[in-house]
Amino acid sequence: MENALMREVADAFAASKGRYGYRGIKAALRTGVSAKVTGRIMAEDGLVAHVPGRRRYGSYEVETTPAPGNLIARDLTAERPNEKWLTDITGIKAADGKVYLSPVIECHDGKMVACADNVRFLAHFGFPGLT
């Protein structure tokens, strides 16, 4: 019986393409065998589930662009209205995908001039390099 069970465990592991651990194999077998016994059989046979590594985020995998020059040198004040505008694009994970939020702030009085939830809107607003 032990050899038959070892064969069943090995077959279930192969059917899962090496993705199931002892709990998944136990569920796939649908027998009265405990998880401890399933784990012990897998350990004896050297059956270890493949756990993929965490993928790192990389928006530019092929080439990177150089950082732009520091045009305002951290001087976030302006003498006249419409002299300096600042924006930042923030990507927020949502159920439908990623939502981009970008407020535009006028440095003279610090008020928000516009806010876009779509980066393409900013291109029509006067920021063509953001699309």
Side-chain angles (χ1 to χ4, degrees):
M1 179 172 155
E2 184 78 18
N3 288 335
L5 186 58
M6 291 175 93
R7 213 172 9 260
E8 285 184 50
V9 168
D11 290 343
F13 186 77
S16 73
K17 298 179 183 172
R19 294 185 184 124
Y20 288 176
Y22 70 94
R23 290 184 186 105
I25 297 297
K26 178 189 178 303
L29 289 177
R30 297 177 187 224
T31 61
V33 179
S34 70
K36 282 186 177 182
V37 171
T38 306
R40 181 181 53 78
I41 291 172
M42 289 180 67
E44 287 174 1
D45 287 346
L47 303 175
V48 179
H50 170 69
V51 179
R54 186 173 177 176
R55 294 186 66 190
R56 299 180 74 198
Y57 174 75
S59 61
Y60 301 102
E61 293 183 4
V62 178
E63 67 178 55
T64 58
T65 55
N70 190 357
L71 299 177
I72 62 171
R74 295 185 187 254
D75 180 19
L76 304 179
T77 59
E79 300 289 326
R80 300 176 305 282
N82 294 329
E83 186 178 0
K84 290 181 191 173
W85 285 8
L86 303 173
T87 188
D88 185 31
I89 300 172
T90 302
I92 303 168
K93 280 187 182 178
D96 300 348
K98 218 171 196 185
V99 177
Y100 293 96
L101 178 67
S102 180
V104 179
I105 298 173
E106 206 276 309
C107 288
H108 178 67
D109 55 6
K111 293 185 180 176
M112 187 169 25
V113 177
C115 184
D117 60 354
N118 187 349
V119 178
R120 294 196 188 278
F121 170 76
L122 290 174
H124 298 294
F125 192 64
F127 297 95
L130 296 179
T131 58

